[in-house]
Amino acid sequence: MGVTGLDKIKTLQRNPANIRNLCILAHVDHGKTTLADCLVANNGIISSRLAGKLRYLDSREDEQVRGITMKSSAISLHYSTGNQEYLLNLIDSPGHVDFSSEVSTAVRLCDGAIVVVDAVEGVCPQTQVVLRQAWLENIRPVLVINKMDRLIMELKLTALEAYTHLQKILEQVNAVTGTLFTSKVLEERAEKVKEEVNRDKDPSGDQVYDWSAGLEDADDSHLYFSPDQGNVVFASAIDGWGFSIQHFAHIYSQKMGIRTEVLLKTLWGDFYLNTKIQRIMKGAQTKGKKPLFVQLVLDNIWSLYDAVITRRDKQKVEKVMTSLGIKVMTRDLRHSDPKVLLFAICNQWLPVSKAVLSMVCEKLPSPLEMTAEKVEKLMSVGTRRFDSLPERTQELKTAFLQCSSEINAPVIIFVSKMFAVDTKALPQKRQRPLNQEEITQRREVARQRHAEKLAAESLERATRSCSAPREATMTRLPLKPEEEEEQKEVFIAFARIYSGTVKKGQRVFVLGPKYDPAQGLSLLPEGSSTSDCIPEVPHLSCCTVENLYLLMGRELEELEEIPAGNVMGIGGLEDCVLKTATLSASLACSPFTPLNFEAAPIVRVAVEPKHPSEMPKLVSGMRLLNQADPCVEVLIQETGEHVLVTAGEVHLQRCLDDLRERFAKIEISVSKPIIPFRETVVRPPKVDMVNEELGKQQKVAVIHQVKEELSQGRSSDCQHVDPDGLVTLTTPNRLATVCVRAIPLPQEVTVLLERNSEVIRTLELMNSSLREGRAMDINLRTLEAIAELKDHLQSLLQGRKWRNAVERIWAFGPRRYGPNILLNSIKDYSRPSVWQCLEWRHSNDQVRAPASPLRDFDNSIISGFQLVTLSGPMCEEPLMGVCFSVERWDVESVAFSQNPDTLKEDSVSPEALQDVNSHGNSEDVIAERKMDASSVDCYGPVSGQLIAAMKEACRHAFQAQPQRLMAAMYTCEIMATAEVLGRVYGVLGKREGRVLHEEMKEGTDMFIITAVLPVAESFGFADEIRKRTSGLASPQLVFSHWEVISSDPYWVPTTEEEYLHFGEKADSVNQALKYTNAVRRRKGLFVEEKIVEHAEKQRTLGKNK
Ligand SMILES: Nc1nc2c(ncn2[C@@H]2O[C@H](COP(=O)(O)OP(=O)(O)OP(=O)(O)O)[C@@H](O)[C@H]2O)c(=O)[nH]1
Ligand SMILES: [Mg+2]
């Protein structure tokens, strides 16, 4: 604990009006942790000399080594200004894209944020992401433009150039905020319009809406960053200085006799000082005058750097120091590194901590100022709307807004992540300073021991016995078990209390994300408390708050109770909270909405212990890792492998280190990253590999050549493939036949399906509950989303081929919500549409299609489709963007009698059966078939065979089209100077990357390159770029989309020109084939490869020997 005592902090915690919960957000390396250091040093926790060098909040070893933050960590600071005292709960967050989930956990607990932007690099991709995250969580940001020294020392800009550059950066940041604001206003506007339309449905239609109207009305002035608003600080955290224009306005108003308010308005902007008439005038730019900001602010700083660093002019420095009234230590004055002197001067003249902290206290809201909008957002989970929540739950809104810590205020806590700490770091285990009494007691004991020792020694000398070593071992022994115990990790919940006061030992409800307060309130009697046993309510449990901690960066301080509005750590929740949770003393509380994660984990590796006997340790280690990291996924694949899914390479490395050193403590072997692929079909090519036009006949020949070869061995009378790709397949017992064709979906449709997977999942859930006749609580918004998806699909699936396709959709897959479609193109077969839930509201009784005997087997067809879309024929990877259209489907009537379900289900009436029979099947034929059926029973039940047949038919249909592999792609933005540009391109080219665009960053000599790169080629990419450019360029990879690899994995030369061009074997590298084979090899599938390529040559070599 620093100079501020724990008691002081406890008192401050009781006054929410003076609490600020804030986080520091920025792109990677823009100086968040360095800035946090300066703020921490202000509290005396670290020495101000070390501020900026220590990076106190980067407490992990790998954070220090790599120089990047990997987790968010909090510290409570005390700040007093004027007669007010504030408590700042500051959270530093990582900027690397791999750890963006940590940013989400930090942002959720805060009311405000300091957004840091590098003065040279300006707005970078992660800056935009964090601004959006702040926006989504409704937290108010302030801006710190950091690394101002780089403008002076690196870019060597003049003060005036720097001013223009800063203006541009502000514009960029404001443009991002502006876009967020505009989209929100337009969204709200659209909603309003919709409501209006619903209210007064105008039969005449044709209304014209003015879309920009909402924008004009909305007040957005408070949103933007502007120095005159007081929400911008210019700083150089490493040199310890920072200022807002308020600071200079105060100084100059005294010096020049101009009112502070006037200076505040004019110090930033197009104003200049007319020295003749001693007045501030507008239009500095047009008149070619120096703006006030340059003249009164920047020039001073520039000349200080010039005197101290560039010219090392001692006299000038001393003059400046006396004029500013600053005294520095002689040690600093004589230091060989001029930066030390600069730091000493600046830190006194314009201390960055003061500038930032006073801005924070002034501009960021306290927990008391939480908006109703934010509360409603927090409390409405998923599709549940705030006004649809039970009344008692809605009443809790006032508890949030009041942020009261009275006894009767309900306790509401949100845990945003669980983090592991070594037991040794816990305050309970730490040695406490002893009080006076204990010291005297110990002194007495020591004195006695000393006397005994002396006596023993004299005795020893006399007897020459050696009992001392034995004594030593005896005192050591009992320590051992303690040591072992100390190495354990304990989990602490990173949390914030929104209402009430939580006490140590208190019992609270743990509300899972799916907990429904309406259900909880109805199932449990009024006034149920946490002491009662409540096993029967789903997603609800109870736990005891065992310990409460004040988070102090690397340290924890134990507390007895914590009042509302504070960020804190809670011990003892590891058994009931996995990653996040809502804790409350009230059953009416609704769980908080889940965190917004920006990056989905994509890099997966399989891990196994070096020694197989250590498997249990690995399993428990992985469980701990899963709990300790907000974003990692830990799973056991179908193949039995233990798999770790992480957000990127750096994240993967950290997880593996943690697993090895903290959680499993065993040696592990790690597979190469498992790269995900997708399989798809495309339209037949129009030209061949040497760009010659292909005729229709030829095209078909190209596609079928390989497949025919493949299928020749397998094809039987059960299967038939038409030249146009229609596959007909009969089950082995010959009772059922399906005809399927595979069609590539338009790319936009695939993208749409991917983006709406959640909506489709909900749709599927609704349909299944409709089928089962269960009551549903359908939200209007969900229905709207479904209807919107349907309309969108309709607009995209146009043309003859897709006529009425949307209505005919049978299922989505894989897992019932994937980006593939099963289409019902069978004549005379009608089944309930997948969109039935949309109509369900209008007609009260269930929509039922006329019963058809085939309906019994409907599910088998869907299952077959799900299976085939889950693993395709190329390398057993999921399919994407494929439509399977079932064109014919016959099931012999005898099959129905075989199907045990038929008898139970009433959907097939005996009349219907009769109906089918009347197609020429007389009663005795059925009897005969029944006999037959019993003899073919060895094939198993029909439904099972139908699933297999459907799957096979789809696989063949897929193979009958030109197949392609789809690769996951990353986008990256690389910033590089002109000298290293060529090398960056070299690395990109080698790794199959594609540059999308390149532009020069204004005011710098940096180029920004945006490129896409296959995930498969990305491993080691960041490192390679860094090495090749001597650390000047460091890219960040973000998953962007799936892309079809254009080369055909099965291509062999067919035309004469192709033979000429590629040779008979076409052995130039086929990227798609390389990937396919790699995946097949990993999965242990057959790979067609020649092991000995040039046998003759090897023989000759042997002979020559
Ligand atoms: N020139 C200059 N360098 C700075 C300044 N502030 C920080 N740096 C340097 O920038 C680098 C990154 O600083 P950090 O504070 O670790 O950056 P960060 O934003 O915390 O980085 P992540 O947590 O990894 O996202 C370090 O080498 C710092 O020394 C500054 O004001 N001027
Ligand atoms: Mg950092």
Side-chain angles (χ1 to χ4, degrees):
M1 197 84 220
V3 280
T4 316
L6 195 55
D7 293 333
K8 178 96 210 167
I9 298 252
K10 279 188 205 161
T11 337
L12 289 171
Q13 280 188 335
R14 312 220 136 264
N15 180 12
N18 281 6
I19 295 177
R20 300 287 181 273
N21 295 317
L22 67 144
C23 51
I24 311 187
L25 308 174
H27 185 76
V28 65
D29 265 359
H30 280 196
K32 295 174 288 293
T33 315
T34 313
L35 181 68
D37 253 15
C38 299
L39 308 185
V40 172
N42 185 55
N43 258 225
I45 295 170
I46 60 171
S47 132
S48 64
R49 283 176 168 277
L50 288 178
K53 286 131 207 140
L54 195 63
R55 291 194 286 119
Y56 179 73
L57 291 180
D58 282 354
S59 48
R60 293 171 57 103
E61 199 185 325
D62 47 0
E63 286 180 322
Q64 287 287 346
V65 174
R66 275 183 177 254
I68 58 170
T69 307
M70 298 188 181
K71 47 144 196 21
S72 43
S73 46
I75 190 160
S76 297
L77 303 174
H78 164 225
Y79 177 66
S80 57
T81 166
N83 52 359
Q84 293 286 340
E85 293 199 85
Y86 291 93
L87 176 69
L88 306 168
N89 295 316
L90 178 77
I91 308 179
D92 180 30
S93 70
H96 195 285
V97 61
D98 279 12
F99 304 106
S100 66
S101 56
E102 290 276 348
V103 179
S104 316
T105 63
V107 168
R108 169 56 62 87
L109 303 188
C110 296
D111 303 306
I114 303 178
V115 177
V116 181
V117 175
D118 185 325
V120 173
E121 295 187 357
V123 173
C124 289
Q126 272 320 93
T127 319
Q128 299 188 9
V129 172
V130 295
L131 277 171
R132 196 170 71 239
Q133 276 179 315
W135 178 265
L136 286 177
E137 291 282 350
N138 293 48
I139 70 174
R140 199 180 301 163
V142 289
L143 184 70
V144 172
I145 300 188
N146 190 29
K147 303 204 186 181
M148 289 278 290
D149 59 307
R150 290 182 70 191
L151 298 180
I152 312 175
M153 306 305 301
E154 267 178 46
L155 299 190
K156 307 221 180 318
L157 301 184
T158 63
L160 188 60
E161 284 163 348
Y163 169 68
T164 338
H165 182 79
L166 291 173
Q167 267 183 325
K168 285 211 183 95
I169 291 185
L170 268 177
E171 269 167 29
Q172 286 171 2
V173 182
N174 284 334
V176 178
T177 329
T179 329
L180 293 168
F181 179 72
T182 323
S183 60
K184 183 185 164 209
V185 173
L186 288 183
E187 220 170 78
E188 276 175 4
R189 173 90 192 144
E191 223 160 75
K192 224 191 258 168
V193 168
K194 222 179 235 173
E195 271 169 27
E196 273 168 25
V197 170
N198 282 351
R199 217 181 306 132
D200 42 51
K201 258 203 171 142
D202 184 7
S204 65
D206 294 347
Q207 286 189 24
V208 182
Y209 293 102
D210 178 10
W211 286 90
S212 62
L215 276 179
E216 277 153 25
D217 300 344
D219 175 27
D220 58 352
S221 58
H222 60 282
L223 281 174
Y224 296 113
F225 298 107
S226 172
D228 53 356
Q229 297 266 341
N231 54 9
V232 181
V233 159
F234 302 91
S236 164
I238 204 121
D239 290 338
W241 59 265
F243 63 86
S244 58
I245 60 168
Q246 274 74 357
H247 179 86
F248 282 97
H250 285 297
I251 294 177
Y252 285 111
S253 75
Q254 285 164 8
K255 249 192 190 170
M256 298 171 30
I258 305 176
R259 276 188 301 136
T260 323
E261 297 83 68
V262 177
L263 274 172
L264 273 178
K265 288 221 176 83
T266 52
L267 254 180
W268 179 263
D270 194 26
F271 300 96
Y272 71 99
L273 187 68
N274 190 332
T275 31
K276 269 188 209 149
I277 49 169
Q278 277 295 317
R279 282 189 61 176
I280 294 172
M281 317 275 282
K282 210 171 166 19
Q285 203 180 4
T286 45
K287 291 184 188 139
K289 303 274 185 191
K290 258 191 195 175
L292 267 191
F293 188 70
V294 177
Q295 192 182 358
L296 300 185
V297 182
L298 292 187
D299 272 350
N300 293 323
I301 297 169
W302 256 243
S303 64
L304 182 70
Y305 268 77
D306 183 53
V308 180
I309 304 221
T310 324
R311 288 195 283 124
R312 296 200 180 194
D313 185 342
K314 272 203 179 134
Q315 281 169 350
K316 174 113 192 264
V317 173
E318 260 162 35
K319 223 170 96 191
V320 171
M321 282 189 342
T322 31
S323 75
L324 293 174
I326 289 172
K327 284 200 181 79
V328 296
M329 280 191 266
T330 356
R331 184 171 68 168
D332 292 339
L333 210 51
R334 298 209 181 122
H335 204 286
S336 57
D337 183 3
K339 278 258 177 182
V340 176
L341 175 60
L342 184 81
F343 185 89
I345 298 175
C346 291
N347 203 20
Q348 283 183 51
W349 177 33
L350 301 168
V352 59
S353 53
K354 193 160 169 280
V356 174
L357 293 178
S358 46
M359 168 170 74
V360 161
C361 295
E362 210 175 295
K363 293 289 163 191
L364 295 187
S366 74
L368 288 180
E369 292 164 62
M370 193 184 263
T371 58
E373 189 192 1
K374 179 170 173 174
V375 177
E376 288 180 13
K377 221 171 172 182
L378 283 179
M379 292 178 80
S380 8
V381 180
T383 47
R384 234 183 278 152
R385 270 168 68 157
F386 183 75
D387 33 6
S388 72
L389 291 171
E391 219 159 84
R392 279 183 56 199
T393 308
Q394 292 193 35
E395 280 164 15
L396 284 180
K397 186 166 138 184
T398 40
F400 275 94
L401 297 178
Q402 281 171 347
C403 188
S404 151
S405 42
E406 299 295 317
I407 298 172
N408 52 4
V411 172
I412 303 174
I413 297 171
F414 183 73
V415 176
S416 77
K417 71 166 181 177
M418 300 290 282
F419 63 97
V421 293
D422 208 321
T423 351
K424 269 185 258 170
L426 290 182
Q428 297 95 316
K429 303 273 171 182
R430 214 184 308 142
Q431 282 189 335
R432 312 194 139 271
L434 303 170
N435 58 25
Q436 201 56 41
E437 230 170 73
E438 282 168 328
I439 293 174
T440 19
Q441 217 174 2
R442 288 216 172 177
R443 200 178 289 147
E444 196 53 43
V445 173
R447 207 173 284 148
Q448 267 181 15
R449 237 189 251 157
H450 187 65
E452 275 169 25
K453 204 174 146 197
L454 283 182
E457 262 174 18
S458 60
L459 200 73
E460 189 188 338
R461 238 177 280 136
T463 56
R464 288 177 186 275
S465 75
C466 49
S467 59
R470 210 184 309 152
E471 224 173 79
T473 46
M474 275 175 69
T475 44
R476 270 223 185 129
L477 267 177
L479 269 177
K480 270 214 159 164
E482 242 177 64
E483 261 173 30
E484 259 171 32
E485 193 198 331
E486 272 181 4
Q487 293 199 337
K488 262 178 66 183
E489 302 278 341
V490 285
F491 280 94
I492 299 208
F494 192 56
R496 167 167 171 181
I497 171 159
Y498 289 84
S499 159
T501 300
V502 61
K503 292 194 173 68
K504 201 169 150 179
Q506 185 172 356
R507 276 183 77 73
V508 282
F509 291 116
V510 182
L511 319 175
K514 286 191 191 152
Y515 170 72
D516 182 2
Q519 201 179 17
L521 288 173
S522 64
L523 283 177
L524 289 177
E526 185 91 355
S528 298
S529 80
T530 39
S531 50
D532 307 334
C533 197
I534 40 139
E536 69 270 28
V537 183
H539 312 291
L540 182 75
S541 60
C542 261
C543 72
T544 310
V545 174
E546 276 173 21
N547 289 299
L548 290 171
Y549 300 105
L550 176 72
L551 303 170
M552 290 301 292
R554 302 176 183 199
E555 289 173 16
L556 298 167
E557 294 291 337
E558 207 174 2
L559 292 176
E560 287 301 313
E561 59 171 37
I562 298 180
N566 284 290
V567 172
M568 62 183 168
I570 308 176
L573 298 185
E574 58 233 67
D575 294 331
C576 31
V577 178
L578 181 64
K579 295 189 183 202
T580 64
T582 311
L583 311 179
S584 178
S586 160
L587 274 176
C589 185
S590 105
F592 282 33
T593 65
L595 300 174
N596 300 308
F597 285 138
E598 289 287 328
I602 183 161
V603 178
R604 44 174 72 207
V605 289
V607 289
E608 59 180 23
K610 270 259 162 65
H611 307 292
S613 61
E614 288 175 330
M615 198 59 175
K617 277 193 187 166
L618 178 75
V619 173
S620 72
M622 284 178 79
R623 197 174 43 79
L624 293 179
L625 176 70
N626 184 29
Q627 191 165 22
D629 192 297
C631 156
V632 78
E633 274 174 29
V634 165
L635 43 105
I636 300 179
Q637 264 188 338
E638 293 90 346
T639 48
E641 289 169 308
H642 288 264
V643 171
L644 215 59
V645 195
T646 58
E649 240 183 317
V650 187
H651 185 215
L652 171 68
Q653 201 53 45
R654 205 212 62 197
C655 288
L656 291 176
D657 286 348
D658 272 355
L659 202 56
R660 281 197 192 104
E661 283 150 30
R662 299 179 69 182
F663 300 129
K665 295 208 182 86
I666 53 167
E667 280 188 58
I668 48 177
S669 14
V670 183
S671 74
K672 276 198 189 145
I674 304 171
I675 320 279
F677 285 100
R678 295 285 182 267
E679 299 179 16
T680 191
V681 288
V682 292
R683 284 151 165 260
K686 291 204 173 62
V687 288
D688 68 4
M689 288 290 280
V690 279
N691 266 343
E692 294 282 332
E693 186 88 16
L694 282 175
K696 191 159 193 253
Q697 262 346 77
Q698 250 173 326
K699 253 191 268 176
V700 176
V702 171
I703 303 159
H704 289 289
Q705 197 210 15
V706 184
K707 279 128 227 168
E708 269 166 23
E709 280 169 18
L710 275 178
S711 58
Q712 256 162 19
R714 281 183 283 153
S715 87
S716 60
D717 50 343
C718 285
Q719 177 196 331
H720 174 78
V721 185
D722 275 6
D724 66 341
L726 184 71
V727 174
T728 313
L729 205 124
T730 315
T731 53
N733 62 3
R734 317 216 164 232
L735 290 185
T737 310
V738 279
C739 285
V740 184
R741 185 195 303 279
I743 311 165
L745 280 175
Q747 198 191 353
E748 306 83 58
V749 176
T750 318
V751 174
L752 180 73
L753 293 181
E754 264 243 302
R755 229 184 298 128
N756 284 292
S757 60
E758 268 313 306
V759 178
I760 302 177
R761 202 197 290 229
T762 326
L763 172 82
E764 196 49 51
L765 276 179
M766 283 181 166
N767 282 343
S768 69
S769 48
L770 262 185
R771 249 176 276 137
E772 288 162 23
R774 258 186 289 139
M776 258 186 319
D777 158 33
I778 297 183
N779 183 314
L780 237 165
R781 238 191 237 178
T782 322
L783 279 183
E784 267 169 28
I786 295 174
E788 206 174 293
L789 172 68
K790 187 179 171 189
D791 289 347
H792 212 145
L793 268 178
Q794 239 146 8
S795 67
L796 290 176
L797 289 175
Q798 290 290 341
R800 196 170 47 87
K801 199 167 50 174
W802 300 110
R803 185 166 304 143
N804 205 13
V806 178
E807 286 298 338
R808 288 189 284 127
I809 294 178
W810 196 331
F812 298 94
R815 299 197 175 88
R816 295 184 174 259
Y817 58 82
N820 300 288
I821 290 179
L822 179 66
L823 211 60
N824 171 13
S825 311
I826 308 165
K827 260 191 228 146
D828 315 326
Y829 175 59
S830 55
R831 61 184 303 285
S833 139
V834 283
W835 311 107
Q836 60 177 327
C837 56
L838 291 178
E839 287 113 47
W840 175 78
R841 283 173 60 86
H842 302 300
S843 61
N844 275 340
D845 42 283
Q846 289 203 10
V847 190
R848 265 184 184 267
S852 147
L854 290 175
R855 283 281 303 287
D856 284 344
F857 295 105
D858 192 278
N859 254 334
S860 303
I861 295 287
I862 296 182
S863 304
F865 165 73
Q866 300 298 342
L867 284 177
V868 75
T869 46
L870 196 60
S871 57
M874 293 167 80
C875 50
E876 306 292 329
E877 288 286 291
L879 303 190
M880 187 170 193
V882 187
C883 168
F884 288 106
S885 157
V886 184
E887 311 217 330
R888 196 161 63 83
W889 174 28
D890 306 315
V891 179
E892 297 286 336
S893 53
V894 69
F896 301 116
S897 55
Q898 273 197 15
N899 188 21
D901 297 343
T902 321
L903 301 175
K904 277 180 257 154
E905 266 208 31
D906 53 4
S907 57
V908 180
S909 57
E911 295 89 56
L913 255 179
Q914 285 277 312
D915 227 30
V916 179
N917 295 341
S918 61
H919 291 283
N921 282 344
S922 64
E923 299 260 272
D924 45 17
V925 177
I926 298 180
E928 200 184 298
R929 284 286 182 109
K930 257 189 184 159
M931 292 280 290
D932 268 1
S934 59
S935 61
V936 293
D937 244 357
C938 56
Y939 292 111
V942 186
S943 58
Q945 287 187 38
L946 193 54
I947 296 177
M950 175 66 189
K951 183 184 164 195
E952 272 312 299
C954 288
R955 274 174 96 100
H956 287 301
F958 182 89
Q959 284 175 321
Q961 303 295 331
Q963 309 166 59
R964 292 291 183 274
L965 208 59
M966 289 178 96
M969 302 297 276
Y970 276 136
T971 53
C972 64
E973 220 169 78
I974 309 170
M975 227 181 275
T977 52
E979 304 95 69
V980 295
L981 207 58
R983 282 182 234 161
V984 170
Y985 275 97
V987 178
L988 271 174
K990 201 176 82 187
R991 291 172 176 266
E992 310 273 329
R994 203 173 63 236
V995 174
L996 296 183
H997 54 85
E998 173 202 294
E999 61 181 297
M1000 192 149 185
K1001 192 144 200 150
E1002 268 178 72
T1004 67
D1005 58 347
M1006 296 273 201
F1007 284 89
I1008 307 172
I1009 305 156
T1010 316
V1012 287
L1013 178 84
V1015 174
E1017 303 290 335
S1018 69
F1019 293 91
F1021 174 72
D1023 269 348
E1024 191 175 346
I1025 288 260
R1026 222 171 290 142
K1027 273 185 207 139
R1028 295 288 304 270
T1029 60
S1030 329
L1032 286 176
S1034 59
Q1036 293 209 62
L1037 302 168
V1038 188
F1039 174 71
S1040 123
H1041 64 285
W1042 294 95
E1043 199 167 289
V1044 177
I1045 302 175
S1046 58
S1047 56
D1048 179 356
Y1050 301 116
W1051 179 77
V1052 281
T1054 42
T1055 60
E1056 216 159 278
E1057 289 81 6
E1058 283 179 344
Y1059 274 115
L1060 270 179
H1061 200 274
F1062 294 98
E1064 201 166 320
K1065 279 204 287 292
D1067 41 10
S1068 58
V1069 184
N1070 182 338
Q1071 200 67 19
L1073 184 63
K1074 199 180 87 187
Y1075 292 146
T1076 319
N1077 282 347
V1079 177
R1080 292 190 71 95
R1081 209 168 295 127
R1082 193 189 78 227
K1083 293 186 174 172
L1085 300 169
F1086 171 69
V1087 180
E1088 196 185 7
E1089 265 180 329
K1090 286 197 188 99
I1091 295 171
V1092 180
E1093 192 70 32
H1094 302 292
E1096 304 84 7
K1097 274 193 189 163
Q1098 288 186 354
R1099 209 167 46 226
T1100 348
L1101 271 178
K1103 259 187 204 168
N1104 288 347
K1105 255 184 197 170

